[in-house]
């Protein structure tokens, strides 16, 4: 009996709840992280090499999904996101394998990373119906009316996912964006896109509406400038620009200034910008970075 | 005409042998369709002594059938052209200048029509070099509000008439509707044909209705809406096109925009073939207006490619080709801004033309 032939995978993008090929038709080889013993890196899968037009399509999908997602009740968003964690738990084996291959971790360490990622997702999902109480409130005024500040989502957020922490980092940047009602276009880690593709498959089989999270794989230096300059993107998270080849986060921030996007810089500033440590327990700063505060006054009733 | 002296039901024969010595040769930019009484002209073209329904039936059914598979394949092939950089810039500006900016809702208000007319005059306030659409297209009673804004400037006002969109009214009502719109100051009239009569085979009634509406139009150009979505087959689209041109339509238009499918590329291709063959046969140029369902720049460029390839360059101006559309303008403007600024643009940078909901 002959050995079984490998099923070689060619993954696609995740845009608007569908898995389209890149408009450019290109793909690239994803290789395992070097682990020391092997001379040549091991082939893992082919990933779609997204182009600027894929990014554009993803922004259109995100824009279309935004009002519906922001309009869902906070409680509902929390439930929907919790369901994602359930699906991730169900796909644990696949996530562990891909994190292990992508990051070159030991099996035990990969298990720990996946657990942390799922817990992180649940942690943010829990904030869905709580952050408004913490961040908003009733302002004291000297008059016969109420003055209320309420946090609202910024809109469409472009997220450059961390280059190194391919799952825990990814979850840590995506979950705080979508929990408040933003929709996002995620540019996955250039060399480690497989966990992002796994997450896309989890999202597609959960209750998250299509277009809320869109995942584009490809070269960060090629696609990121188009997202940074896109005038229909309201904010950009530059975390993944820290260690990406061929792109300076400062240039992206400059392009983002054109339409006054909110910008979340990578950890540190200047040339020493690095990816933050995602193992640390998060605070609400990533969530608040993509919120707008709406303040209204309301007459007092009797 | 092809078989003088033959039976009264004459088959129309394809292009090359037709000669009409008493008509002047075609001169670009000049429509000659109003010179003689349409019935006389039709008799002449059909080669019959009396214009009857059976004569029209024989003529229309003698047109070569449309190869459905071939037509759709050709349309698909023409959709694959890649139009880039300076050609794309030209195509976008040309497409904008060909738009009949349309609002045809029961909920149209004078304010909405004024807003539409203002948009037609200044499509993109951030870039004054943007060309204006060819016309605004509104209901007949809304024409005065559009005229208020447009005045004598170079955007025309088109009005739909003849019991748009169904066309279900008596002829007297339809003609009154047309005269009313012209009196209100419409430069162009978009009429609907009686699809019921057409499908029942009463071509003469459709012919007369178009001819009488044309007469009621006076100086206004007449666009004949065939509502291709209700005609079912490409053969019917071809017949309706020839019938509309025979009766004196200045434009043939696909749809009202109220029926789906509306302006598909294959249907427009059949109509473009019809106007091309009509000019070869009679020397008269007739315009084409696809309307409804054309929403993106990509779609618009596909139509422009098809116009160029099927009918020819003579049709590549807003004198002879129009898009009936409302949301297309915004997408073209977004593309135009992308080409000017180098960054993708968004809905925040064009006018919100969604129905207000109030």
């Amino acid at each position: 009996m002959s050995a079984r032939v490998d099923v070689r995978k060619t993954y696609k993008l995740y845009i608007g709840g569908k898995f389209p090929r890149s408009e450019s038709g290109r793909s690239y080889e994803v290789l395992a992280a070097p682990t020391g013993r092997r001379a040549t890196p091991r082939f893992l899968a082919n990933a779609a090499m997204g182009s600027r037009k894929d990014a554009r399509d993803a922004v259109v999908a995100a824009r279309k999904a935004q009002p519906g997602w922001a309009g869902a009740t906070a409680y509902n968003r929390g439930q929907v996101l919790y369901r994602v964690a359930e699906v991730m738990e169900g796909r644990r084996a696949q996530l562990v394998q891909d994190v292990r291959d992508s990051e070159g971790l030991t099996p035990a360490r990969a298990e720990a990373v996946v657990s942390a990622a799922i817990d992180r997702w649940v942690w943010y999902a829990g904030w869905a119906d709580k952050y408004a109480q913490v961040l908003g409130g009733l302002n004291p005024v000297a008059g016969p009316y109420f003055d209320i500040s309420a946090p609202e989502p910024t809109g469409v957020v472009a997220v450059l996912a961390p280059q190194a922490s391919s799952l825990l980092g990814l979850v840590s940047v995506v979950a705080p964006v979508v929990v408040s009602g933003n929709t996002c276009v995620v540019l996955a880690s250039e060399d480690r896109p497989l966990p992002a593709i796994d997450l896309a498959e989890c999202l597609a089989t959960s209750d998250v509406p299509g277009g809320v999270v869109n995942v584009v794989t490809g070269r960060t230096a090629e696609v990121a400038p188009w997202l940074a300059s896109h005038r229909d993107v309201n904010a950009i998270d530059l975390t993944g620009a820290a260690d990406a080849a061929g792109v300076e986060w400062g240039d992206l921030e400059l392009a983002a200034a054109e339409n006054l996007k909110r910008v979340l810089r990578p950890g540190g500033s200047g040339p020493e910008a690095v990816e933050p440590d995602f193992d640390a327990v998060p605070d609400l700063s990533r969530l608040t970075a993509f919120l707008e505060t709406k303040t209204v006054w309301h007459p007092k009733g009797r | 005409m092809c078989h003088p002296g033959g039976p009264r039901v004459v088959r129309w024969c394809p292009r090359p042998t037709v000669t009409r010595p008493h008509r002047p040769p075609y001169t670009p930019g000049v429509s000659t369709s109003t010179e003689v009484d349409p019935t006389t002209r039709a008799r002449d073209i059909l080669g019959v002594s009396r214009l009857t329904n059976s004569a029209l039936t024989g003529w229309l059914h003698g047109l070569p059938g449309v190869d459905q598979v071939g037509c759709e394949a050709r349309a698909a092939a023409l959709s694959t052209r890649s139009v880039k950089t300076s050609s794309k810039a030209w195509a976008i500006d040309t497409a904008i200048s060909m738009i009949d900016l349309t609002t045809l809702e029961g909920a149209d208000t004078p304010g909405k029509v004024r807003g539409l007319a203002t948009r037609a005059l200044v499509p993109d306030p951030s870039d004054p070099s943007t060309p204006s659409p060819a016309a605004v297209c509104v209901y007949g009673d809304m024409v005065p509000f559009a005229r208020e804004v447009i005045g004598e400037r170079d955007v025309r006002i088109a009005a739909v008439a003849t019991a748009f969109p169904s066309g279900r009214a008596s002829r007297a009502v339809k003609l009154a509707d047309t005269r009313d719109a012209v009196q209100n100051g419409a430069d162009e009239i978009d009429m609907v044909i009686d699809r019921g009569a057409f499908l029942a085979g009463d071509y003469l009634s459709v012919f007369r209705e178009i001819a009488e509406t044309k007469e009621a139009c006076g100086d206004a150009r007449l666009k004949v809406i065939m509502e291709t979505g209700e005609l079912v087959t490409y053969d019917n689209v071809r017949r309706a096109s020839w019938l509309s041109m025979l009766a004196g339509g200045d434009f043939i238009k696909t749809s009202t925009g109220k029926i789906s499918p509306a302006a598909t590329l294959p249907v427009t291709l059949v109509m473009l073939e019809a106007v091309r063959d009509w000019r070869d046969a009679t020397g008269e140029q007739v315009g084409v207006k696809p309307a409804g369902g054309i929403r993106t720049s990509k779609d618009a460029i596909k139509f422009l490619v098809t116009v160029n390839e099927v009918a020819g360059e003579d049709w590549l101006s807003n004198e002879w080709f129009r898009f009936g559309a409302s949301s297309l303008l915004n997408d073209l403007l977004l593309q135009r801004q992308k080409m000017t600024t180098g960054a993708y643009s968004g809905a925040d940078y064009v006018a919100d033309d969604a129905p207000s909901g109030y």
Side-chain angles (χ1 to χ4, degrees), chain B residues 332-352:
Chain B
L332 286 164
L333 292 179
L334 291 178
Q335 291 291 324
R336 203 173 185 279
Q337 290 174 354
K338 154 74 173 64
M339 299 199 82
T340 320
T341 64
Y344 286 117
S345 192
D348 292 347
Y349 299 87
V350 290
D352 178 8

Side-chain angles (χ1 to χ4, degrees), chain B residues 25 218 276:
Chain B
R276 176 198 66 193

